[in-house]
Amino acid sequence: MELQNDLIIRAAKGEKTERTPVWLMRQAGRILKEYRDVRANLSGFKELVETAERAAEVTIQPVDLLHVDAAIIFSDILVVPEAMGLTYQMIEQRGPWFEKTIQSLEDVNQLIVPNPYEHLNYTLEAIKITKKELNGRVPLIGFAGAPWTIFSYMVEGSGSKTFSKAKKMLYTQPELSHALLQKITDTTILYLKAQAECGADILQIFDSWAGILSPDQYNTFALPYIAQICDAIQNVPVTVFAKGAFFAREEMGKLNCRTIGLDWNMDPIESRKLIGNNKTLQGNLDPCVLYSSFSEIEKQTKIMLDKFKGLPHIANLGHGVYPDIHPDAVRCFINAVKSY
Ligand code: CP3
């Protein structure tokens, strides 16, 4: 299927584009009333993730309603630990919760490296349906969590401000930590490859809790596993977004991926120097700018775009869009990028 709008793919490959492409992390769900309507007819978030037709429907909503240059498949990074053997619940207003967590080598040994076509087939089906329904309008982004971020949920059992239980494991049980990280990595490689086989045009790795590690820990327990994933995926462009990993930008420039995502703390000009000219950069407007007036959103978006000017760039926020942002503010941001 030929893509009518392939701006993001071309930008990710480092090619020049007529204008800067734009999409938003967490654009599916969260801010759209149309998403909440679909979700209200089901038992909750998990049923939506596991019902391929409905997941495809909410994946396409931002393309129709916000006119972004890419869709991102509606799912969650936590489907991976679940497929490995730890089921989670998504608790309303509170977030994810795992009944069983990883504490010992025995726990790690009990985890499986699942065949994605067996244990994660609902997302693969959703990708196939989405590709068919998009009919080439825009590319589809597949994704997974980075091994360290998945590890932190599997050890901690829920969200946390500090993830101190997960970090404690890195310091006190490094061998166990590596065994778990390797198993997550093996699973993630199979899962991302399957997403590409089923039609995903770009793959993004979310390392949401990168910023809580020390630079040493990041080099030991996070980057080598991300590198394995990048090395294993050859047919589609890969984006690595490591939130808070400002200290690792130079190393990230050496990854075998096409695009590096920047959060809003990372200055684009400084990041370009550290990462080099061979990568496409993605980001990085502070999501909170979208709480301000339209004229301020336009002004801040232009300031951001100016800093990325001249080399391949995919416009985005510096992290996911917040649930209480008005869709019109998102539209204002998107239009500001498109008319730059
Ligand atoms: O980008 C998209 O719109 C595609 C779908 C997507 C979701 N989660 C749907 C979701 C993606 C890419 C994710 C990634 C994800 N999930 C990350 C990495 C990105 C980031 O934001 O740092 C993380 C850390 C998670 C784990 C997670 N999922 C948490 C902590 C929560 C609860 C808080 C929240 O974000 O709302 C979720 C739930 C979740 N995942 C929702 C959605 C739409 C909200 C659930 C609902 O509808 O009630």
Side-chain angles (χ1 to χ4, degrees), residues 12-14 253 257-258 272 275-280 311-312:
K13 288 182 174 163
C257 68
R258 275 306 324 153
R272 184 48 92 185
I275 294 167
N277 288 351
N278 293 330
K279 297 268 191 271
T280 298
L311 286 164

Side-chain angles (χ1 to χ4, degrees), residues 23-31 35-36 39 44-46 48-49 58-59 62 71-78 88 90-96 141-146 149-150 153 158-160 163 204-209 241 243 319-321 323:
W23 69 284
L24 285 84
M25 290 186 277
R26 312 300 295 271
Q27 68 188 17
R30 279 197 160 175
I31 59 161
Y35 163 77
R36 290 191 290 274
R39 194 178 170 291
F45 173 75
K46 278 190 85 171
L48 181 47
V49 166
V58 299
T59 297
I72 178 162
I73 191 68
F74 187 83
S75 183
D76 200 87
I77 62 168
L78 301 175
Y88 72 94
M90 196 58 80
I91 298 169
E92 206 69 30
Q93 312 295 336
R94 290 194 56 193
I141 303 168
F143 71 91
T149 287
I150 298 302
Y153 282 105
S158 66
S160 160
F163 279 98
Q204 176 155 326
I205 301 167
F206 285 93
D207 208 354
S208 303
W209 304 115
F241 172 66
K243 173 141 193 327
H319 197 194
V321 59

Side-chain angles (χ1 to χ4, degrees), residues 3 5 20 46 50 57 60-61 63 80 82 104-105 142 180 182 185 192 201 240 245 265:
L3 288 165
N5 172 348
T20 305
K46 278 190 85 171
E50 289 163 16
E57 181 181 348
I60 296 170
Q61 284 175 347
V63 178
V80 163
E82 178 154 271
S104 67
L105 193 56
L180 178 52
Q182 189 58 57
T185 302
L192 287 174
D201 301 289
V240 177
N265 281 308

